[in-house]
Amino acid sequence: MRHLILSAVLALGLTVGHSGLSISAAQAQGVNQAKFNSDGKVNIPTDWRQWVFVGTPLTPNALNGGKAAFPEFHNVYIEPSAYKHWKKTGKFAEGTQIAKELVLIRKKDKEEMNKDGSTGEVSGVGYFQGEFTGLELTVKDNKRFAKDPGGWAYFSFGHKLPYAKTAKAFPAKSCNACHQSAAADDFVFTQFYPVLRAAKPK
Amino acid sequence: MRHLILSAVLALGLTVGHSGLSISAAQAQGVNQAKFNSDGKVNIPTDWRQWVFVGTPLTPNALNGGKAAFPEFHNVYIEPSAYKHWKKTGKFAEGTQIAKELVLIRKKDKEEMNKDGSTGEVSGVGYFQGEFTGLELTVKDNKRFAKDPGGWAYFSFGHKLPYAKTAKAFPAKSCNACHQSAAADDFVFTQFYPVLRAAKPK
C-alpha cells in the first residue's frame, strides 16, 4: 500500500489515475481550481478583486483610433494559490487562473479632456481609473484544454455590469495566437507584470 | 466584571483605557496594525503586494514636463483587514494602511518610444508597467497622529530598491493638503479607485 502511494506521488506532474485514486496534477500542486459546469462553461470567480494583483497595462481608446482592442486599463490578477506556486517554482501550475478586469479611463467634462484621453488632477496630468467595463479569465488546464496551446483557455464574462455568471472558452486561435507569439513566460505577458517578475525565483 | 467589559465595549470608537484594560479602537475594529518602532518610525510592510489592489493612476513623466510628482504608475493597495472594514461600513477604520507602489513606464528603444511616453504592443498603443521605483504608505491613527488632519500620516520608503526598512512620517502639511482638499472619501482618492467604490456599501 505504501508502495502504491509512493508510486502515485512520484508519477505526479501529469494526471494520475491509480487503483481507483483520481487526483489531478492541479490538485496535487495545491492550486485552487476554477469551477466548470457540465456544459463546459466556467463559473465567474467570486473574489478576483482579492486575488494577487500583478500589473495594469493601459491602452487608451484615444491612442488606438477611438477603440482599443481592450479598453482601457487592464487590471490583471493571479489566483493566490497559483501565485504561491509561481513564487516557489517560477512556473504556472496546472489550474492557474489569471483574471483581467477592464476599466475605462475616468472622464471629465469635454473641455477638461485632453486629445490623448488624459486629464489633469492634483497629482499631475495622466490617466485615472473610471468604471469597470469587462472581465476576462484564462485557465491553464492541459487535461481539460488538451487542444489549446500550453493548455491555456480564455473566457470573457462580457463587457457590461453585472458580468455574465458563466463563460464559454474562446476558440483556441482567437486569444492564443498573440499570447503564444508575444508573451514572455508560458503565454503570460510577464514583461508587463512587475509583481510576477519580482516574485519569480532567480 | 461583566459590567466593566460591557462598558469598555460600549466606549469603543475612541481609545479605551479601563481598569488596566488597554485596547485601542483600531484593535477593537479587528484591523491589523502597522508596526512602529520606539523612535516613531514605521516598519515597511512585509507583504503589501498581496494586499487588496484598489486602482492604478498613471501620470507619465512625458506628460508632466519630464518629471511627474509621482512617476509614473501608482499601484495602490489597502491592507486586507482594513478593506474588510471598508466593505462592511464604508469607513476607513483606525489603523487602516494604504500602500502606493510607484512603477516606471516600460521603456523600449528610443525609436520605438512615442513622444507621450507610450509604446506599441500587440494589445495596442499605450503604457505598460516596467520597473518598481518607490513605495509609500499612509496610516490612519488618530491616537498616534492626533495632529494630522483625519489622523492620516504619510511615509516614503524611498525611490530605490531595495526600499528602506523604516520610514519617518512626513510633516503633516506635505501630503495632507492635497489629500484633504481633493480626495473623495476621508483623505483617500476613492474617485480613482474603482475597487473601493464598488465595495462601499450603498
Side-chain angles (χ1 to χ4, degrees), chain B residues 2-22:
Chain B
R2 193 172 175 187
H3 176 70
L4 274 180
I5 293 171
L6 255 178
S7 310
V9 168
L10 290 172
L12 291 174
L14 286 179
T15 302
V16 173
H18 203 10
S19 58
L21 186 70
S22 173

Side-chain angles (χ1 to χ4, degrees), chain B residues 24-43:
Chain B
S24 75
Q27 288 167 324
Q29 291 176 330
V31 168
N32 295 325
Q33 301 298 294
K35 291 198 173 55
F36 288 89
N37 299 307
S38 54
D39 60 2
K41 289 183 176 174
V42 71
N43 286 349

Side-chain angles (χ1 to χ4, degrees), chain A residues 60-62 66 71-73 103-114 117-121 126-131 133, chain B residues 191-192 197:
Chain A
N61 284 333
E72 296 178 285
F73 283 97
V103 189
L104 293 175
I105 289 167
R106 186 167 183 262
K107 304 277 188 302
K108 299 184 90 169
D109 291 340
K110 235 178 189 175
E111 62 274 21
E112 292 181 275
M113 298 288 303
N114 300 320
S118 68
T119 58
E121 296 291 348
Y127 299 95
F128 301 85
Q129 297 200 344
E131 300 307 321
T133 189
Chain B
Q191 67 264 48
F192 306 145
R197 292 200 304 278

Side-chain angles (χ1 to χ4, degrees), chain A residues 169-192:
Chain A
F170 282 104
K173 276 181 193 172
S174 28
C175 306
N176 235 314
C178 289
H179 282 261
Q180 187 158 27
S181 65
D185 267 302
D186 187 15
F187 298 74
V188 179
F189 286 94
T190 53
Q191 67 264 48
F192 306 145

